[in-house]
Amino acid sequence: MATDIVMPQLGESIAEGTVIKWLIPPGGMVEKDQPLLEVETEKVALDIPAPATGVLREVLVQEGATVPVGTVLARLEHEPVETVMSRVGGIGVRARSSAAEGAPHYSPAVKQVAREHDIQLSEVTGSGEGGRITKKDVLDAAAKRGTSTPTPSAAPTLPNAEEELVPFTHMRKTIAERMVSSRRTSAHVTTFFEADCSGIEQFRAGRSLTYLPFVISAVSNALRALPMVNASWRDHGIVLNKALHIGIAVAIEDGLLVPVIRHADRKGLTQIAKEVADLAQRARSKRLAPEDVLDGTFTITNHGGFGSLFSTPIINQPQSAILGVGAVQKRAVVINDAIAIRPMCYLSLSFDHRIIDGAIADRFMSLVKQHLETSRWDTRL
């Protein structure tokens, strides 16, 4: 019995996905719920688990290919196996069953190499597990016949021999398209404020809390007071989002993901901190679920984590604004006509001037600043 592995629906608006990497080779044994392949869409990168225990018999979509949702990617075969098992490179490989003796199976890679070299696989002796034919077996057979290796397609000519061409990933192309589209769509304006984090620093003493949960809490309070900042532009009017779903930009190895803290205004610092840590960890390990990146109404990007002080972030469409959080640094400031050393942080708000006027944006930032500087914090769940 065989099970089709299909490109899953990774969100309501997602129509296609890209196969980034097969984590199990053709012919490899996989356990139920073991990661089978890496898939990437415009909003999420994640590992797809095997739906059942079996052998990956046929890979139909190769790495790097982008296909529509529902496309059959591979076939997982369930067959009685012989008791002998071996593990190669951490992957369980099934010995050939007696039922398969009369109908040998060849992996897609082996068949591709055989076609390229015009080799009849029935004439090749396999050196793999249970007599399985490998790519090396085919290449060795081709070498004995004197066939030459096909010449690969020429790479694009670079203007300078010291340059290196890095192909676009699906995520990088999507980020580029969305950033350019956002700049073309929204009337971007950025306003800057500075906040004194002394109260937060004192509250954090002895607690394992970063600054980000405090910012999320402050933003949630300000959004409740000024719902226009939590709005979206539509053809027939402005949609005021009643739910406060705060997206948190997370940098990963080859791009950026924005998982969402849902109903952030209903949660205390401890719960927010736990969710931020969990979402960031799962984003970096590609274990986010599709629902983790949906329905965001406002975004926060913590560029200060890398030491940056100022930023003019690009709005995450179709939202109306995005908050940038700079690094917290001790600086000399004037307080009551005296110079003091305080932990200070620059905040930036990029907003869509079609929806938000400057006065509303500055009122919003004033509320965020006030909340950060004067709130009586608690860690309620």
Side-chain angles (χ1 to χ4, degrees):
M1 183 177 69
T3 298
D4 287 345
I5 308 299
V6 301
M7 178 63 71
Q9 178 74 51
L10 300 174
E12 296 178 3
S13 61
I14 305 300
E16 62 184 18
T18 300
V19 174
I20 300 301
K21 184 178 182 180
W22 285 99
L23 304 175
I24 301 296
M29 185 75 179
V30 62
E31 301 292 332
K32 182 180 180 181
D33 297 327
Q34 180 182 349
L36 181 61
L37 73 154
E38 239 177 72
V39 170
E40 185 178 276
T41 73
E42 62 188 48
K43 291 186 177 181
V44 65
L46 73 164
D47 292 345
I48 303 299
T53 298
V55 176
L56 186 61
R57 275 305 187 196
E58 190 174 11
V59 173
L60 302 175
V61 177
Q62 300 303 314
E63 295 177 357
T66 300
V67 295
V69 167
T71 300
V72 178
L73 306 176
R75 290 192 172 91
L76 192 68
E77 186 174 304
H78 317 273
E79 288 183 357
V81 299
E82 295 178 0
T83 56
V84 178
M85 297 286 293
S86 68
R87 302 196 70 83
V88 180
I91 302 300
V93 181
R94 188 186 74 168
R96 293 178 64 184
S97 65
S98 58
E101 293 299 330
H105 170 80
Y106 308 115
S107 73
V110 166
K111 289 189 285 187
Q112 176 65 29
V113 174
R115 284 194 296 269
E116 292 174 353
H117 294 276
D118 193 23
I119 296 294
Q120 297 296 320
L121 291 173
S122 59
E123 301 173 0
V124 177
T125 300
S127 63
E129 181 73 25
R132 181 173 56 87
I133 295 175
T134 67
K135 286 174 59 177
K136 183 177 183 302
D137 296 330
V138 179
L139 293 173
D140 288 345
K144 290 178 181 178
R145 280 182 34 182
T147 59
S148 59
T149 302
T151 303
S153 301
T157 303
L158 296 176
N160 189 320
E162 296 181 351
E163 295 178 343
E164 178 185 359
L165 181 65
V166 179
F168 293 120
T169 64
H170 180 70
M171 179 176 287
R172 178 50 53 194
K173 289 180 68 176
T174 300
I175 290 174
E177 292 166 0
R178 287 187 171 272
M179 293 300 97
V180 172
S181 175
S182 181
R183 293 291 294 183
R184 289 173 177 167
T185 299
S186 296
H188 277 69
V189 180
T190 305
T191 185
F192 296 91
F193 274 63
E194 188 177 23
D196 184 342
C197 298
S198 298
I200 297 175
E201 190 173 77
Q202 292 174 9
F203 185 84
R204 290 176 63 237
R207 294 183 172 93
S208 57
L209 288 170
T210 66
Y211 284 95
L212 187 54
F214 296 88
V215 176
I216 295 172
S217 179
V219 165
S220 298
N221 277 273
L223 289 175
R224 278 202 304 264
L226 294 169
M228 193 61 74
V229 186
N230 199 49
S232 299
W233 181 276
R234 294 291 187 270
D235 291 339
H236 302 293
I238 296 172
V239 175
L240 299 180
N241 299 303
K242 295 182 180 180
L244 302 185
H245 300 325
I246 309 298
I248 307 299
V250 177
I252 61 175
E253 184 177 354
D254 55 354
L256 190 73
L257 294 175
V258 188
V260 174
I261 304 290
R262 307 181 74 83
H263 301 292
D265 55 320
R266 304 178 187 175
K267 298 169 181 176
L269 290 174
T270 300
Q271 183 64 28
I272 291 174
K274 287 180 179 178
E275 292 192 23
V276 167
D278 174 64
L279 289 171
Q281 194 277 332
R282 288 195 288 121
R284 296 186 180 107
S285 61
K286 300 185 178 179
R287 292 189 296 108
L288 287 175
E291 57 269 22
D292 291 329
V293 296
L294 298 179
D295 305 324
T297 61
F298 185 93
T299 297
I300 297 173
T301 175
N302 184 25
H303 56 88
F306 299 98
S308 170
L309 297 179
F310 297 94
S311 175
T312 57
I314 297 176
I315 297 166
N316 186 12
Q317 297 295 326
Q319 299 167 19
S320 64
I322 180 172
L323 182 82
V325 182
V328 177
Q329 289 188 335
K330 288 187 176 181
R331 290 194 284 272
V333 295
V334 178
I335 299 176
N336 297 326
D337 293 330
I339 296 177
I341 304 298
R342 296 293 173 85
M344 306 298 293
C345 174
Y346 292 111
L347 304 172
S348 62
L349 182 75
S350 292
F351 59 96
D352 188 344
H353 216 324
R354 299 176 305 167
I355 302 173
I356 303 170
D357 293 328
I360 294 178
D362 290 340
R363 283 175 57 198
F364 173 82
M365 292 295 279
S366 294
L367 289 173
V368 172
K369 171 184 170 71
Q370 179 183 353
H371 192 77
L372 291 173
E373 293 181 341
T374 65
S375 287
R376 296 173 61 89
W377 301 100
D378 66 71
T379 55
R380 70 190 187 280
L381 296 177

